[in-house]
């Protein structure tokens, strides 16, 4: 199926973004990445080895995927902007997944600071993909300041609860002027499929694969879920009905 994902003028065949944290070891991570078919890998700037010494994560995946550094752990505009600038300098990319959490308990985005940081980074030449709440208004404002995509959460980070508010996600997708990437909350492949059926352009996940019993198999399942959900979205589902309707015509029934 020729259905590429396009963000900021760049095309990707895969609509699954994969995170890089929490795997049992590097080989399981590399096998999972291959099984996922993902072409975009998110990397926490504070975790990546930027010194050039030793075999860091960047060495293992160099040339194989599009790296998307993130500002995980930042809670102020100043820290997020500085982290993005360090990533641009060290990793030679102006793409940044912007994360600005409001507190350590919920890990919910601080939307006020998120908007300020996004605006500052866009004006500084970054391609900004912000992790945000599932609020259609916030998503619209982030697109208005120039973000290349929006990344609303399905559920709090690491919970695996799936999509808690499918109505909001569908509303965001229906009205967004930029690609929508569902981020956080995915627990299993059916959650990823639902996100795509609701109209999301892509899905980003990490823990659901890295902490599963078999990360490589789960990565393959997520790939199938995203692809199946996308095809179902394009194919168009039948309308839901409150009453039964026979799939075969009743004309010519035998007996009384």
């Amino acid at each position: 199926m020729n259905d590429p994902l396009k963000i900021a003028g760049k095309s990707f065949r895969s609509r699954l973004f994969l995170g890089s944290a929490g795997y049992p070891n590097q080989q399981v991570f590399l096998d999972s990445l291959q099984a996922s078919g993902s072409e975009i890998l998110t990397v926490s700037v504070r975790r990546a080895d930027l010194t050039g010494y030793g075999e860091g994560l960047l060495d293992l995946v160099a040339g194989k995927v599009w790296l998307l550094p993130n500002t995980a752990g930042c809670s102020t505009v100043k820290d997020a902007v500085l982290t993005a600038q360090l990533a641009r300098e060290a990793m030679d990319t102006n793409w940044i997944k912007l994360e600005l959490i409001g507190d350590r308990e919920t890990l919910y985005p601080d939307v006020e600071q998120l908007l300020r940081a996004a605006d500052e980074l866009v004006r500084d030449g970054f391609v900004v993909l912000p992790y945000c709440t599932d609020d259609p208004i916030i998503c619209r404002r982030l697109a208005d300041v120039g973000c290349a995509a929006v990344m609303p959460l399905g559920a709090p980070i690491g919970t695996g609860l799936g999509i808690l508010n499918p109505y909001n996600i569908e509303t965001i997708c229906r009205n967004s002027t930029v690609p929508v990437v569902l981020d956080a909350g995915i627990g299993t492949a059916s959650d990823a499929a639902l996100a795509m059926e609701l109209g999301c352009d892509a899905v980003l996940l990490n823990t659901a694969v890295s902490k599963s019993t078999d990360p490589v198999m789960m990565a393959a399942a997520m790939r199938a879920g995203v692809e199946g959900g996308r095809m179902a979205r394009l194919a168009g589902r039948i309308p839901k009905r409150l009453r039964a309707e026979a799939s075969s015509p009743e004309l010519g029934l035998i007996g009384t």
Side-chain angles (χ1 to χ4, degrees):
M1 185 172 64
N2 184 22
D3 180 36
L5 169 67
K6 296 181 179 178
I7 299 178
K10 186 168 179 60
S11 295
F12 303 92
R13 289 167 298 174
S14 171
R15 292 174 177 270
L16 176 59
F17 295 20
L18 201 64
S20 55
Y23 287 87
N25 56 60
Q26 287 186 337
Q27 191 58 53
V28 172
F29 160 67
L30 292 173
D31 291 345
S32 299
L33 178 60
Q34 183 176 22
S36 74
S38 178
E39 297 173 291
I40 300 180
L41 180 70
T42 60
V43 180
S44 174
V45 176
R46 59 192 167 91
R47 285 184 53 247
D49 180 5
L50 305 177
T51 64
Y53 297 97
E55 188 183 44
L57 175 65
L58 304 187
D59 300 305
L60 294 172
V61 299
K64 300 177 182 176
V65 291
W66 184 263
L67 290 176
L68 177 60
N70 66 55
T71 63
C74 291
S75 57
T76 67
V77 173
K78 180 180 179 182
D79 288 349
V81 170
L82 177 60
T83 301
Q85 291 170 337
L86 287 172
R88 180 169 60 183
E89 184 73 20
M91 299 169 66
D92 194 27
T93 177
N94 65 338
W95 284 46
I96 191 76
K97 181 194 169 192
L98 178 61
E99 295 186 30
L100 254 169
I101 61 171
D103 64 51
R104 300 288 175 185
E105 178 184 357
T106 65
L107 299 179
Y108 258 61
D110 184 327
V111 295
E112 179 187 358
Q113 295 205 75
L114 186 69
L115 279 166
R116 289 169 49 201
D119 183 47
E120 185 170 337
L121 289 170
V122 168
R123 286 188 283 109
D124 193 23
F126 281 91
V127 174
V128 181
L129 290 77
Y131 164 64
C132 58
T133 54
D134 58 351
D135 180 341
I137 306 305
I138 292 301
C139 288
R140 186 174 70 195
R141 290 182 177 173
L142 287 165
D144 288 346
V145 302
C147 291
V150 291
M151 307 181 78
L153 57 81
I157 292 173
T159 61
L161 290 171
I163 300 176
L164 296 181
N165 196 332
Y167 174 82
N168 272 24
I169 296 299
E170 193 277 335
T171 301
I172 291 167
C173 294
R174 177 161 33 86
N175 296 307
S176 182
T177 57
V178 296
V180 177
V181 183
L182 189 94
D183 184 5
I186 294 292
T188 188
S190 58
D191 299 331
L194 175 59
M196 301 304 292
E197 291 175 9
L198 291 171
C200 291
D201 296 280
V203 169
L204 189 155
L205 56 89
N206 187 149
T207 308
V209 169
S210 68
K211 297 298 185 183
S212 66
T213 303
D214 188 332
V216 179
M217 186 181 294
M218 184 58 84
M222 291 296 183
R223 178 180 187 171
V226 167
E227 293 175 351
R230 178 64 177 176
M231 285 191 285
R233 172 72 180 183
L234 296 178
R237 62 157 297 140
I238 62 170
K240 295 181 179 179
R241 300 177 184 275
L242 295 178
R243 296 180 184 278
E245 182 180 271
S247 56
S248 299
E250 296 185 359
L251 183 65
L253 283 176
I254 299 174
T256 58

